[in-house]
Every structure is written in C-alpha cells, then in structure tokens.
Amino acid sequence: MNSWRPSAELAVLRQRAQLLAELRDFFAARDVMEVETPVLYGAGATDPQLASFSAEYHGPGAPSGRTLYLQTSPEFTMKRLLAAGSGPIYQISKAFRNGEAGRRHNPEFTMLEWYRPGWDHHALMDEVEALIRQILVAPAAARVSYGDLCLRYLGIDPHGAELTELRDAAAARGITAPVGLGDDRDGWLDFLWSHGVEPRLGGDGRPVFVIDYPASLAMLARLRPGSPAVAERFELYLHGVELANGFHELADGGEQRRRFEQDNARRRGAGLPAMPFDEHLLAALMHGLPDCGGVALGVDRLLMLRIGAQDIGEVLAFPWDRC
C-alpha cells in the first residue's frame, strides 16, 4: 500500500517551491507587503456557490462553545488590514471549500490574493497579466465581455434573458441541469457558463480576461452604472481553466450587508443554511476601505499550467484522499 507517499513527484514539489519563491520576488520588486491572517475565522461564506468547513471551539472565552469556519478566501481579513491603513498587500495562504474535489479541485488549496489601493480592476488586470506572462511565458491576454461570450456560445443575453430562456439554452445544447436549481436565475447563469462557455476560453494558449459581468453576479465588486449595469469584476482563463477572480472592490458597508442578506435568501431558497455575517468586515467598511482593486489566483492551477499537469493531485504533496 503506497497511499502514504506524496501524490506529486519530488521534482514537481521542487518546482512548486520555485514558483512560490518567484511569486514572492514578483511582489517584493513592487513593494507589496506580504501578510498573514487567520485561516480559522468567525464567519463563513454566504455565497450560495461555496460551502464552508466548520469547527467547534471550546475553551477560554467561549465556555459554551463557538463555531468557527475555515476560510474560503483571506479576503475579509485582508480588507480589514486595508481599512487599517496597510497599503498594498498580498498573501499566499490555504483556503478551504467543502464539497469541491476533482481533477482541478481539492477541498484544501493554495490561494494567492493581493490588493492595490488606488487601482481599479483595469489597472489590476495589467499587473495580473504581467505576472502570468512572467510565470507561464504566455502571449498577451485578450479582454472580452461576459455578455459577448454568452451570446457567442449560448445564444443568450445574460443581462436580460428570462429564466425560461436560460432553461431552453441548456436543453438546446443537451446540458442536463442539476436538481435544485429551481428558479435561481444566477444559479442557471453559473451553470450554463461553467458547462457551455468556460471550457472554450483560452484554448489557443492566449489568456482571456472576462469582464463586465451582470450586476447580479457582482459578488464583492462595485457596479458600473449604465444600461445594463455591470460588475467591475474580471476572471482570467487559460486552456479552459479559471485562474483568477478580481474586483474593483466594493467599499460601501451598507451595500455589502444588503448583498450578504441576498446571499442568505438564495441559500434558504436552495435549502442551505444561512451563514453569519462578518460584522468585523462590515465595521471596517463603515470605517473606510480605500478605493482599491483586489484579486485571488489559484496557485495549484498556476503550477498545473506551468508543468502541463492534468490533475491537481500531480502538484499536491497530499491531496484530501491521502490525508
């Protein structure tokens, strides 16, 4: 029985160490400070697409126990640092998402996240592209709107399509929707995107930034007024792999609370438990988050692309099924 051995070759683990060193050199050269924040936190993810791991703490300060969550991203704590005046910061940390395992997913993975005060998402895309081209020696990236891609590959306008149109688009392409989507329009958009669009992006080796997401998919991004209103958000794809998700960050505490409430309403509608809000984050936003851009990038996937790996287990010492 060899399950005690690492799933990645030792040569790959050396390449992983080299990649981490290169990432740190990249930010050191740009005077971006490395930080560390807790992975065990008092609030989980409200996003209905994410499932948080939870743990129960018993001890001093919580004699009756307190539920804590393994972070799905270091975003909230890093924004608290930004509100406290940290300036530009980055972090290479572990993140955890329950139920996510497969060829490109492990429930525990490594995330690179960074924030640039004074930058919007367009300026941040330039820096993400510089990093990707340095690490992967890739060509210049394309920038294409979410709406244009949905029209091209799904035949729908994601900003205005009715729920029936989304269902018809899935049926016309033989895409079987999972049980439970119901009338969740955003859930249908996510489903159609992941099955009908995402696999086609960056297949020619040219990175693709997807921009101008529908307002309902803004997550933690600002909205750009207009008709239709769109999220100041981007995602980066290469060879059908989502590498990064970035935003011109929302700084309005009241709007953020409203979005948390909307998330929990969607969770309840899908039969999922509501999640506690991060009141520390909301207080930080009310204090004042500087105008900034922020992005999260999957380090394991970046290494997979760099060495041509087909399975995430090829770049991890011990994936979840060897723990």
Side-chain angles (χ1 to χ4, degrees), residues 98-285:
N98 204 348
E100 296 192 8
R103 191 165 62 88
R104 295 174 181 164
H105 295 85
N106 193 64
E108 176 184 349
F109 60 99
T110 301
M111 180 178 285
L112 164 64
E113 190 150 335
W114 77 96
Y115 292 85
R116 284 290 203 165
W119 290 22
D120 65 8
H121 57 304
H122 293 291
L124 190 56
M125 276 188 278
D126 292 340
E127 186 164 65
V128 173
E129 181 172 359
L131 175 63
I132 293 302
R133 296 188 71 181
Q134 179 175 312
I135 297 297
L136 300 179
V137 195
R143 299 185 184 187
V144 189
S145 77
Y146 184 98
D148 286 348
L149 289 167
C150 285
L151 284 170
R152 183 187 309 171
Y153 295 119
L154 299 172
I156 59 169
D157 172 10
H159 302 287
E162 299 291 338
L163 191 58
T164 53
E165 295 177 72
L166 302 183
R167 290 183 171 129
D168 290 346
R173 287 155 182 80
I175 306 173
T176 303
V179 176
L181 273 184
D183 294 333
D184 183 354
R185 185 178 182 278
D186 288 345
W188 276 95
L189 281 175
D190 284 337
F191 169 73
L192 285 167
W193 178 265
S194 63
H195 287 74
V197 181
E198 191 173 87
R200 307 181 186 212
L201 301 179
D204 59 357
R206 185 184 185 190
V208 176
F209 285 105
V210 180
I211 60 174
D212 294 346
Y213 280 72
S216 62
L217 302 180
M219 298 175 69
L220 298 165
R222 300 182 185 216
L223 296 181
R224 188 180 75 221
S227 183
V230 295
E232 296 189 335
R233 171 189 176 191
F234 67 84
E235 287 191 320
L236 174 64
Y237 289 87
L238 182 58
H239 295 299
V241 177
E242 179 201 339
L243 269 181
N245 189 15
F247 310 100
H248 188 189
E249 298 292 345
L250 178 66
D252 184 330
E255 172 63 14
Q256 185 60 76
R257 183 179 293 278
R258 187 183 71 82
R259 292 191 192 180
F260 282 160
E261 291 169 348
Q262 285 181 332
D263 281 349
N264 270 341
R266 287 184 62 204
R267 292 181 69 87
R268 286 189 289 268
L272 300 171
M275 298 297 288
F277 298 168
D278 185 353
E279 295 292 346
H280 291 303
L281 170 67
L282 295 172
L285 295 180

Side-chain angles (χ1 to χ4, degrees), residues 50-51 53 71-73 95-100 106-109 111:
L50 300 178
F53 285 98
Q71 66 176 6
T72 57
S73 157
F96 305 84
R97 297 182 181 180
N98 204 348
E100 296 192 8
N106 193 64
E108 176 184 349
F109 60 99
M111 180 178 285

Side-chain angles (χ1 to χ4, degrees), residues 77-87 284 287-290:
T77 44
M78 292 183 76
K79 284 182 174 176
R80 289 168 63 183
L81 290 176
L82 290 161
S86 66
H287 172 79
L289 182 75

